[in-house]
Amino acid sequence: MPFIDTPETNALKSKVEKILSEIPDFTDENKNLKINVIKDCADNGNIKLLEPLLKNPQTKKAFFLPILDSFVFNTAKFKEFLEYSSACNSYSKYLGQKIGLYMGDSSLLDRNEVVLNFPFKDCVLEGGQRKEDGLDIYYEYNDKKGEYEEKQSKRREVFYNEVLAQDEIDSLFSPKAFCNTKRYEKGKSEKCTKLNRDAELNKKRGLAEDTITDNLIIKGNNLLALHSLKKEFAGKVKLIYIDVPYNTGSDSFSYNDNFNHSSWLTFMKNRLEIAHELLREDGTIFVQCDDNEMAYLQVLMNELFDFIQIVEIKMNEGAANEFQNPFMPKNCEYGLYYAKNYYARKYKPIWIEREYDTAYNQFVINMDEEKDFKKWKVKTLKEIIRDKKIPKEAVTKFVIENADKIFQGIGPKGPGIGLKEAMERSRKSDGWDIYIREDKENIYTYRGRMVRFYSKNIGLDRKGNKVILKELGSLWADIKTTGIAPEGGVKLKNGKKPEALLNRVIEMATEESDIVLDYHLGSGTTAAVAHKMNRQYIGIEQLDYGENDSVVRLQNVINGDQTGISKSVNWQGGGSFVYLELAKKNETALEQISVCKSLEELTESFDELCSKYFLHYNVRVKEFRKEIESERFKQLNLKQQKEMFSRMLDLNQLYVNTDDRYDKNTGLTEDDIAITEDFYQLAKDGE
């Protein structure tokens, strides 16, 4: 039953509070009870909570049930009592000058007890982002049909607990070896066994002189690739942009539906934590997402980064998906903009073209002839346009050419004493006055109002022409997001981002030669734009896009691609990038299976597969050995037999740790070992 106010209940409340307040772990520095901590102890049957409650007759009677010679703690009743006694646990309460959520007389924000909690929060999600990672494929014999049938089921994700499985996590996050490395330049590509480290460039950008200065495209699991970047790039990345899997059920994030939100948050948290380590102290991260997970993601990022702003990005006109959405069509996405250190971050305001602002409607007609500002004469801009017979289509040009004479009067709230006096004098004289400021631009006043000239709204476009500008705000509705399919010479069925969008994000957060990272690279928009803007970039992608891959796109960029932002930045081609793959442990086994020409050859490889490679956790070796010797298995065609052998392998153990690079079982070539050692600047074997 719910608790109600009675003398007995109030007495019990006082007794419980007294007992709990005497336990150091249950109070904060202001002697307020930590309700969430106490609840956790109740759930876990912690002795430091149960012992004092059991010793007191009043609390013993209230919260313990006598069973034979023992007493059982009534956890549910105790927690219900805490909810009651904590007062206003879930109600908005006004206290002093603060409005918000309270526990007793303490704001939840002040108590630092509000966090985003979800199952597996303290775990590492083993899986990657490959489309097949969300499914287990297995074969089941159908007696009626007399054949094997391929079955699919949602995989049971492997979550490594950060405390209980530290060895597994250390191995998972250990730097990985690289293979199949190529350097791409204009019109050619060649093997790469050594990376560039431009000492002079690194000096200019304040990085260690031996920092890699090549652009890098890495193919493989992005969580493992990020950890592999740590030694070389920790604290060096200026901007991270990611367009994350939206977890809509139709994108590439295909994890267990039972823990859909939790799996997604764990997936994001694991990667954001290492991303934080890679950022410079003045670095920023811009995460693009839709409204499906945005609220959860913002709370998660609040725990890791310093919040700057949320940007709304218009992505379509809404008509394309009006039949898919039972409510209002979605036509915007969100950019969550965060800093590693809010006070160290650097930001360049972005100015965009706009129409003439008609609020600037006053014109000084004799400014050029009269040096004494107090003799300036004013007409309305409308009168000037009429008197000069300026056609409508020429008004904007006239405004731009005469912006230093066009102004509006504004009345700021609470002006400084000097400015207030100047405004008062100009009001009384029905004319001009001035407020002189040291080390700053002087402020004119006219008829009691502060004057703002339109010249501050005039700037140059990329071609050097004068245009009317306004500072970009948090609503980005001016970027064209339709008709961008040809950009970069590659196509992406869903979610391709316009180069103009990445151009804006990169421009406002970086300078030339800064390092930009995108670990959900997709078709390569971030890398393509960074290349054209002379930024160093690192792109990571696991999914295979074939002819629409980022490598194809970047080759087009190097060869002078003229789509996207190319014309606006006068892109003529050039530069280079290095492609690397995370070396796969089980890839050799897959290749070995694929070249087998008969069941006999497959069977001969069975022992080697079981001894040298990582098997899937579902595989029962003895049972599978018997199965491959059965008549029904022999009746399968060779392709099906190979498929079943391939499914023995654990797809999450495909990558080779750098420390194992000399193990002959890895299949690494001398070139692979050379680039791995050069990347991590490791001593060669025996040196």
Side-chain angles (χ1 to χ4, degrees), residues 606 615-626:
F606 183 80
L615 302 184
H616 196 279
Y617 63 89
N618 275 340
V619 172
R620 297 176 178 86
V621 176
K622 291 182 179 179
E623 292 182 13
F624 192 75
R625 183 189 296 275
K626 291 180 180 179

Side-chain angles (χ1 to χ4, degrees), residues 124-127 172-173 220-228 267 270-271 274 519 540 542:
V124 171
L125 177 58
E126 183 189 46
L172 191 70
F173 289 167
N221 181 297
N222 58 10
L223 177 62
L224 309 189
L226 287 170
H227 280 274
S228 297
F267 176 92
N270 296 158
R271 288 151 179 78
I274 182 62
Y519 56 87
I540 305 171
Q542 181 164 335

Side-chain angles (χ1 to χ4, degrees), residues 450-503:
M450 185 173 74
V451 168
R452 179 175 291 168
F453 285 101
Y454 203 51
S455 53
K456 292 185 176 180
N457 296 72
I458 306 300
L460 301 178
D461 62 15
R462 294 185 186 275
K463 296 180 181 179
N465 301 317
K466 284 186 177 182
V467 292
I468 300 173
L469 299 174
K470 68 174 180 178
E471 186 174 353
L472 178 69
S474 61
L475 175 60
W476 296 2
D478 61 308
I479 294 176
K480 182 177 175 59
T481 57
T482 56
I484 61 170
E487 289 191 350
V490 298
K491 296 180 180 180
L492 192 62
K493 185 176 181 181
N494 293 308
K496 187 175 183 180
K497 298 300 182 283
E499 289 196 6
L501 174 62
L502 270 299
N503 176 240

